[in-house]
Structures are given as structure tokens and as C-alpha cells.
Amino acid sequence: MSKLQIVYFFLRGRAEAIRTLLVEQGVEYEETDVMPMEKWLNYWKPKMAFGQCPLLIDGDFELVQSNAILRYLGRKYDLYGSSIQEAARADMINDGVEDLRGAYTVLIYQNYEDGKDDYVKALPDKLRPFENLMKDTKGYILGEKMTFADYNLFDLLDIHLTLAPTCLDTFPALKSYHSRVLQRPGVQKRRNSQNFKDMKINFNGKE
Ligand SMILES: N[C@@H](CCC(=O)N[C@@H](CSC(=S)NCCc1ccccc1)C(=O)NCC(=O)O)C(=O)O
């Protein structure tokens, strides 16, 4: 049985939630760096359905779109709740994560110097919905068991704590949630790995 393979840039970016899920679930995987840029542009990019990575290779099955990859792994490793309503709640929150991740990506790659102050000022209004959604849970998005969406929400909060270290200070549920996920043994295993420590968050080094 060949190992799962992640094809992406050597950075956290849109693959970190995937890596953390796999490490914590005890699933071994190999990582393929798409660089140098010539290799990305001439070899890997043309292979990608939408011209972008990450790509997950699972035997003869290949999947792009980071959220589709997370949902696939959620189904594969029983990280998608126990009912259609629970699955839908995980989907809803993951879609909310994607909305904020998209805004973060625009800031980082298109408007960092001029846009950071306004982004950080507006951040509480973007985080409050997550605080309201998480304040009554028993630990994670669906209660006591992690879901694929928890790995994405955790990564989203984590990269925002780098951007704005006090951004969770007025959101106690999110602050305790972030710490709770961070302290999970599998998450610690990922975070303490040299591979994680060597990776920037974003391609341009801005964070
Ligand atoms: N909806 C997709 C988006 C994937 C995506 O944006 N991938 C980026 C990498 S992830 C990311 S946050 N990209 C933003 C900026 C960036 C550009 C180039 C290299 C690395 C990062 C990519 O493949 N860029 C290279 C290219 O388009 O030729 C998903 O969720 O997987």
C-alpha cells in the first residue's frame, strides 16, 4: 500500500491543515515540493486540474482543492460527524474558514503593507461569528471528537495569531479552542517536527 502523497510548495499555506490532520491521525505521507519555479510552471502546474496545488495522491486517486482534500480525508478517517446535520455543521464552519482564509490571502499577497492595519482593525468582526459558533461546543466543532474542519479552523486561528497576536484576547472560546487543539499530542507532534519549523506560512514570507 503506497503512502499518501502531498504535492505542494514547501510552506504551510493551504496544506498545513491537511498535514496536521494526517500526522494526528497517524497516517504516514510523503511530501513533494513543486519547486523550483520552472518545475512548477512546466511540469506540475499543467498536471493540476485548476493549475494550482495542493494535490493529494492516494494510490491511483488524485485530488486537488484543499477543502475537497480535507473533506475526502474527513470521510476516509471518520472525521465528518455522525449525521448529515453534524456533517453540514462542519461544512458550514469550514466554508466560513475558507471565506476568511481568502481575505487573508489577498492581504498577504496583494495588499500587506497598505492593508494590514485596516485588516487587523476589521478582524474582530470576522472572528466573532466563529466565537458565537464555538462558545457552546464541548471542545471541538462537533463536541468531543475532532473533524476535518477543526484542523482548518485551528490553522486559520494560528496564522491570524501570527499576524495579530492579541486577536483572540476578546474571544475566550476561540482562545481556549486554539490552545486545546494546539495541546493535542498529534498536533504537538506536527508542530515540533523540523519540517514544520522549517516552513514559512506564506510563499512571500509575509505573515
Ligand atoms: N482553491 C484552491 C486554491 C489553491 C491555490 O491558491 N494554490 C496556490 C498555492 S497556495 C496559495 S495561498 N497561493 C497564493 C499565493 C502563491 C502563489 C504562488 C506560489 C505560492 C503561493 C498555487 O498553486 N499557486 C501557484 C499558481 O497559481 O501557479 C485550494 O484551496 O486548493
Side-chain angles (χ1 to χ4, degrees):
M1 177 78 162
S2 59
K3 283 183 188 175
L4 288 180
Q5 191 180 350
I6 296 174
V7 180
Y8 191 62
F9 294 94
F10 188 78
L11 52 94
R12 291 165 55 180
R14 285 188 171 274
E16 192 51 37
I18 297 164
R19 296 184 189 103
T20 306
L21 182 158
L22 292 173
V23 169
E24 191 175 50
Q25 297 304 314
V27 178
E28 286 198 10
Y29 68 92
E30 289 163 348
E31 182 107 32
T32 302
D33 184 350
V34 297
M35 295 289 272
M37 191 51 83
E38 180 274 335
K39 180 82 179 270
W40 164 246
L41 293 172
N42 298 327
Y43 179 79
W44 283 113
K45 187 176 178 72
K47 287 178 179 293
M48 304 293 176
F50 297 94
Q52 293 188 307
C53 59
L55 164 70
L56 180 81
I57 302 174
D58 184 3
D60 57 8
F61 180 63
E62 298 191 2
L63 190 62
V64 292
Q65 291 293 351
S66 58
N67 292 301
I69 293 167
L70 282 168
R71 290 187 164 101
Y72 170 74
L73 297 173
R75 294 184 181 94
K76 183 164 183 170
Y77 298 112
D78 187 24
L79 298 165
Y80 222 136
S82 312
S83 69
I84 60 167
Q85 288 80 7
E86 286 194 342
R89 180 176 174 83
D91 281 334
M92 173 183 74
I93 291 175
N94 196 71
D95 288 352
V97 169
E98 176 56 30
D99 285 346
L100 184 48
R101 187 182 292 278
Y104 170 88
T105 301
V106 169
L107 170 74
I108 293 292
Y109 292 102
Q110 298 177 27
N111 193 27
Y112 189 80
E113 283 68 24
D114 295 339
K116 181 179 176 181
D117 286 352
D118 287 347
Y119 184 92
V120 173
K121 276 198 196 95
L123 194 49
D125 289 342
K126 303 285 188 183
L127 293 173
R128 192 166 297 106
F130 295 102
E131 176 74 6
N132 293 337
L133 285 163
M134 294 302 291
K135 67 181 186 308
D136 299 325
T137 63
K138 297 275 174 298
Y140 307 104
I141 287 170
L142 293 182
E144 278 149 33
K145 194 172 182 308
M146 287 277 279
T147 68
F148 73 92
D150 285 289
Y151 295 100
N152 207 10
L153 176 57
F154 167 72
D155 181 63
L156 180 82
L157 297 176
D158 199 61
I159 60 179
H160 278 84
L161 282 168
T162 298
L163 179 74
T166 63
C167 72
L168 299 185
D169 287 359
T170 52
F171 298 116
L174 291 181
K175 194 172 179 91
S176 63
Y177 170 80
H178 176 269
S179 302
R180 188 178 314 117
V181 177
L182 181 61
Q183 291 314 314
R184 287 174 63 89
V187 177
Q188 282 292 306
K189 183 178 175 188
R190 170 63 190 156
R191 305 285 295 222
N192 292 332
S193 70
Q194 198 56 49
N195 181 262
F196 175 82
K197 291 174 182 172
D198 289 346
M199 284 185 173
K200 296 182 294 187
I201 298 174
N202 300 302
F203 188 73
N204 62 6
K206 293 175 185 177
E207 53 183 36

